[in-house]
Each structure stands twice: as structure tokens, then as C-alpha cells.
Amino acid sequence: MSSSIDILVQLQLAQKYLYRYGGLILIFLGSIGSILNLIVFTQKTLRKNPCSTYFISYNIVNFIFIYSSVLFSMLNLGFSIDYSTQSLVLCRARVYINIVCTVLSPLYLVFASIDRVLITSSNALTRRRSTRQFAYICIGIGTLFWMLAHAPILYYGSIIQIGPNMFICYFQSSVYVSILSYFSLCRAISALSLLIICGLWSIKNIRNLRKITAPASFSATATTPSPSTTTHSTSSKDRQLCFILLIDIIIYTLFSFAFAIYLIYQQITQSHVKNIERTQIETIVSNICQFSGAIPFCFSYYANLILSKTFRNEIKKIFSCQLH
């Protein structure tokens, strides 16, 4: 009995300091990173590319998530300050925006992954389907659909008293909680699966293109430099965007995997009778997994900066222009 209490106390301290200091780091670095990502992908050299359109949407949602979820979680779990329990409107708005952002962020990555599969295809007709207009349609329909699908949150969200002077912002319907839990599990698994499949598919397409273009470039004559140069330039830019996307997919997969495992565990054990200590420990583990899941929303820029040469060059151009 005492050992479980000791574990609970240690976990509570770990959660407190993780959100107090780690949350501050996520907000600071995530805000700067999202803004710089937006600046890079809206540059003239990249913004006309459909993949950049998805990246712009992805980073806008990430920025909103930082201040609708990470900030409130940091204040609540790190400093015991919960503004969402002081206003029903704020409570419902925070939960709604938080959940919608967790759906839209991987959705835009999936869209970008599909776009990279199209653009790296050896079939010319397939490549032509990768257009900015198609990107706008996908983003518009996808965003509107999931915003409407989660509209019940604005009704079921409520401030619930769980003890003397203790309130939480949660859902008043247990049925809707169950539906949302199953949906969260399905979303996590399907998003991870689609991202991995599309990422591997893009890599396969790029390898196939290299096998095709290598003999063609070897046999090209020096009398026709312009078409060859243009094709290589466009292909190089697309490959770099593929590489940036793969970085984002890897980061999302690594840090979202823990919460997906927790959701599976939650569904398996939902019919079990649990004591207070176990319930509290599971809640803390859930919060720690959610902290891990917030990392991809904040660190995309820094991974791109370290691993992508094209991204670093764009950053250098931006800062050199500002200095001059």
C-alpha cells in the first residue's frame, strides 16, 4: 500500500515539474519554431509548391495548439491554475480547439504525404494531380468536416465538480466520452499507419526515379541544357520537401506512439474495477503521454533546420535579407 502511494507521489512531482519547466520550453521554442516555419514556407521559392501549402496549414494549427492546449496544461498541471474552470464558454472553446487541432495537425501531414506520393510517381498523369488548387480543396473540406464533426463538444463540454472546491473542465455525457475515446484511438492508429505507409511509398518512388533518371542524364547531350536543368531543379526541390516531410513524420510517430499505446490500454481496461491510487496513476501517465504527444507540435522547425540543407539555405536567405 505504501509503495503505491510513494509511486503516486513521485509521479505527481514528475508531472508537476515536467509541465512547469518542460511546458515553458515547449511554448517558447514551439512559438518561435512555428513562426519561422511559416516564414520559410511562405517564401516565393516554396509557397507555390502544393506541399508547402500543407506545411503552412500544419504550422498554423500547431501554433494554435500550443496556446489552446500546452499553455493551459502547463498552468493547470505545473502551477495549479486552471482558467478554463472559471468560465463555461472558455472551457468549451478550449476543449473544442484542442481536440480539433489534434485531428487537423496529423491530417495535414497525411495530405502532404499523399501529395509527395503523387509528385514522386514515375507516371506523368499522377504527378499532375499534385496542384495548389487540389491542396486548397483538401484543406478546406478536411478542416470544415472535422470542425463540424466535433461541434457536439461545444454542447457536452462542462465544468464538473469532483470534490470540495475542486472543478475540472470535462464532458457531461459519459456516452460521448466513450465515443470520443474510441475515435481518438482509431485516429491515432490510422494517422500513424497512413503516415508510415505514405512515407515509405515516397521513398520507394524517389529510388525508382533515381534509377530512371540516372541513365537518362548520362545519355543527355550538351546541346540541350535548359530542359534538363529545369527538370533537375524542380525534382531536387520536391525531394527536399519530401525529406522535410519525412522528418516531420518520424517526429510525429516517435512522440505520438506513447499516447496511442495508452489509449489501447485504456480501452482494454475500461471494464476493470480500479482503486483511487490506480486511477490517479493512470491519469498522471496519460498527462505525461500527452506531453510527449505535444512535442511534434513544437519541434518541427528545429529538426528541419538541423537535417535539411534546403531549409537552412532558406533561413540564411531570410536573415541575410533582413540584415541588408
Side-chain angles (χ1 to χ4, degrees), residues 129-140:
R129 294 174 184 172
S130 172
T131 63
R132 290 176 69 192
Q133 183 179 6
F134 183 67
Y136 290 142
I137 292 172
C138 288
I139 291 170

Side-chain angles (χ1 to χ4, degrees), residues 262-280:
Y262 174 80
L263 289 173
I264 294 172
Y265 165 81
Q266 187 182 48
Q267 294 304 318
I268 293 173
T269 62
Q270 64 177 344
S271 60
H272 295 183
V273 178
K274 304 175 184 179
N275 57 31
I276 296 175
E277 286 82 7
R278 181 176 174 180
T279 302
Q280 289 178 326

Side-chain angles (χ1 to χ4, degrees), residues 174-204:
S174 58
V175 175
Y176 188 72
V177 171
S178 299
I179 293 173
L180 199 61
S181 298
Y182 279 112
F183 168 76
S184 298
L185 176 59
C186 294
R187 173 187 57 79
I189 294 174
S190 59
L192 289 173
S193 301
L194 285 171
L195 288 172
I196 292 171
I197 291 170
C198 290
L200 294 175
W201 197 345
S202 297
I203 293 172
K204 180 183 176 182

Side-chain angles (χ1 to χ4, degrees), residues 284-312:
I284 294 171
V285 171
S286 171
N287 291 332
I288 293 174
C289 289
Q290 288 184 56
F291 181 90
S292 173
I295 292 175
F297 292 83
C298 304
F299 280 89
S300 170
Y301 164 79
Y302 304 98
N304 294 339
L305 185 66
I306 294 170
L307 299 174
S308 174
K309 184 178 179 181
T310 298
F311 195 88
R312 287 196 299 272

Side-chain angles (χ1 to χ4, degrees), residues 71-239:
L71 176 61
F72 278 88
S73 297
M74 180 200 69
L75 292 174
N76 182 19
L77 299 174
F79 297 93
S80 300
I81 302 171
D82 191 359
Y83 290 111
S84 62
T85 59
Q86 299 178 15
S87 167
L88 182 59
V89 174
L90 181 60
C91 168
R92 290 175 173 175
R94 184 188 71 81
V95 175
Y96 175 75
I97 294 172
N98 179 17
I99 293 178
V100 169
C101 285
T102 58
V103 174
L104 292 182
S105 183
L107 177 68
Y108 297 149
L109 276 185
V110 170
F111 284 159
S113 301
I114 294 172
D115 177 78
R116 293 300 86 187
V117 171
L118 295 177
I119 203 64
T120 56
S121 173
S122 58
N123 189 304
L125 292 176
T126 303
R127 291 197 299 271
R128 288 175 188 169
R129 294 174 184 172
S130 172
T131 63
R132 290 176 69 192
Q133 183 179 6
F134 183 67
Y136 290 142
I137 292 172
C138 288
I139 291 170
I141 293 176
T143 303
L144 182 61
F145 175 80
W146 288 117
M147 288 181 69
L148 293 175
H150 289 89
I153 294 174
L154 297 173
Y155 174 78
Y156 287 115
S158 182
I159 299 173
I160 301 172
Q161 185 171 4
I162 58 173
N165 298 320
M166 294 179 63
F167 299 88
I168 59 170
C169 177
Y170 202 57
F171 301 103
Q172 57 184 341
S173 170
S174 58
V175 175
Y176 188 72
V177 171
S178 299
I179 293 173
L180 199 61
S181 298
Y182 279 112
F183 168 76
S184 298
L185 176 59
C186 294
R187 173 187 57 79
I189 294 174
S190 59
L192 289 173
S193 301
L194 285 171
L195 288 172
I196 292 171
I197 291 170
C198 290
L200 294 175
W201 197 345
S202 297
I203 293 172
K204 180 183 176 182
N205 285 349
I206 291 171
R207 288 179 176 176
N208 290 337
L209 283 175
R210 285 176 178 173
K211 292 178 183 178
I212 296 171
T213 56
S217 61
F218 179 75
S219 61
T221 63
T223 57
T224 56
S226 297
S228 176
T229 305
T230 303
T231 304
H232 175 74
S233 176
T234 304
S235 177
S236 176
K237 186 189 301 180
D238 284 323
R239 283 199 299 269

